């Protein structure tokens, strides 16, 4: 079996609510191997985004631990966010509006101290089909194109795993299918693991392993 790139054990997370603590994740365990794709479905409010934030170190669990490439994942500072073995793709792209497509991808590498990354960023933008949109601002790109930039950005630091939270949620059906195909193709080509949160049964079924989050635990779909 290939090596483990992400391991979560006993993750627990609650939020304060007017009626007392709201237990969102009760005991989440997950092991993802290099190059593996895993989909997670679950009803709205079941805790999928919360789980990805814990996996990526954007939030800390109340109990349990996350390991990326065997290192314990503490709370991640913005500087470390994009360069610690994890790449993120969000539903709403989260591009910097004042930067071009190329600059958005370059920035993700510069944040972790990489220099001379422009050629690599150009290559990745070509890979996602945007070789002729390098100087466009996000406002000059379509939704599908913005998400392609975000995929290139997620790849630039060669993460072990990409965490994608409803990456096609803002896209029309045809564009969503194209973006999903691209995401699955690039992770397969590069042997990058993928944890894909989606409401779409069709997309979830394209992953190598399918899980459902319900009642605060993950189980096979
Ligand atoms: N910062 C917070 N403070 C209080 N409650 C929160 C907070 N973040 C999330 N929650 C609650 O935790 C639950 C899980 O939220 P989460 O965003 O993880 O759900 P989700 O499965 O991603 O839903 P969706 O499919 O709608 O995106 C929700 O009931 C939400 O209201
Ligand atoms: Mg969500």
């Amino acid at each position: 079996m290939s090596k483990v790139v992400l391991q979560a054990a006993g993750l627990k997370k609650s939020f304060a609510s007017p009626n007392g603590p709201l237990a969102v994740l009760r005991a989440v365990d997950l092991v993802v191997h290099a190059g593996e794709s895993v989909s997670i479905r679950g009803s709205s409010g079941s805790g999928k985004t919360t789980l990805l934030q814990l996996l990526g170190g954007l939030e800390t669990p109340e109990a349990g631990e996350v390991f990326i490439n065997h290192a314990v994942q503490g709370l991640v500072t913005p500087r470390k966010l994009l360069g610690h073995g994890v790449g993120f793709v969000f539903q709403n792209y989260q591009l910097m509006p004042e930067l071009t497509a190329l600059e958005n991808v370059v920035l993700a590498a510069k944040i972790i101290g990489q220099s001379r990354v422009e050629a690599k960023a150009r290559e990745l933008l070509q890979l996602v089909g945007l070789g002729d949109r390098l100087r466009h601002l996000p406002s000059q790109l379509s939704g599908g194109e913005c998400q392609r930039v975000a995929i290139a950005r997620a790849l630039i630091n060669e993460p072990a795993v990409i965490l994608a939270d409803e990456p096609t949620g803002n896209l029309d059906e045809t564009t969503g299918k194209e973006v999903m195909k691209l995401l699955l193709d690039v992770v397969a080509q590069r042997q990058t693991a993928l944890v894909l949160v989606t409401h779409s049964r069709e997309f979830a079924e394209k992953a190598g392993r399918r899980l459902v989050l319900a009642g605060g635990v993950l189980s096979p779909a």
Side-chain angles (χ1 to χ4, degrees):
M1 196 72 176
S2 57
K3 75 170 187 157
V4 172
V5 291
L6 182 158
Q7 180 164 15
L11 290 186
K12 194 175 160 194
K13 183 80 179 173
S14 315
F15 292 109
S17 83
N19 308 323
L22 173 76
V24 176
L25 304 177
R26 292 170 190 275
V28 170
D29 298 314
L30 177 65
V31 174
V32 180
H33 292 87
E36 190 185 17
S37 64
V38 178
S39 63
I40 300 177
R41 292 176 66 225
S43 54
S44 184
S46 59
K48 304 178 298 297
T49 294
T50 305
L51 174 58
L52 287 195
Q53 289 186 335
L54 295 181
L55 296 179
L58 301 181
E59 282 265 14
T60 37
E62 259 165 73
E65 277 183 308
V66 177
F67 301 89
I68 301 285
N69 285 331
H70 302 292
V72 181
Q73 189 80 323
L75 192 62
V76 173
T77 61
R79 195 180 144 74
K80 275 173 74 189
L81 172 61
L82 296 155
H84 62 137
V86 175
F88 275 94
V89 179
F90 302 94
Q91 177 174 352
N92 57 357
Y93 329 125
Q94 302 270 29
L95 299 177
M96 302 287 276
E98 69 279 25
L99 299 184
T100 64
L102 183 62
E103 289 164 348
N104 264 282
V105 179
V106 163
L107 178 68
K110 286 205 169 151
I111 277 174
I112 62 156
Q114 306 279 4
S115 54
R116 294 194 289 277
V117 287
E118 195 169 310
K120 187 172 170 189
R122 278 171 190 274
E123 255 171 53
L124 284 170
L125 284 164
Q126 257 149 22
L127 177 77
V128 301
L130 291 180
D132 58 353
R133 296 285 191 281
L134 302 179
R135 307 281 170 203
H136 284 231
L137 295 169
S139 60
Q140 299 166 331
L141 294 169
S142 71
E145 288 169 346
C146 285
Q147 199 58 302
R148 287 167 188 268
V149 176
I151 291 170
R153 178 182 60 184
L155 290 167
I156 191 145
N157 295 326
E158 295 171 17
V161 57
I162 288 185
L163 305 175
D165 193 357
E166 298 189 47
T168 61
N170 282 11
L171 304 175
D172 66 64
E173 195 180 334
T174 308
T175 311
K177 280 187 182 170
E178 287 166 6
V179 166
M180 187 58 65
K181 181 175 184 321
L182 171 74
L183 181 59
L184 291 167
D185 286 351
V186 293
V187 295
Q189 264 168 30
R190 303 167 80 89
Q191 280 291 291
T192 306
L194 173 69
V195 179
L196 168 69
V197 163
T198 178
H199 280 287
S200 156
R201 186 179 294 270
E202 181 190 343
F203 294 153
E205 284 178 358
K206 293 186 190 293
R209 187 150 53 98
R210 293 160 289 279
L211 302 173
V212 172
L213 181 61
V217 297
L218 271 181
S219 38

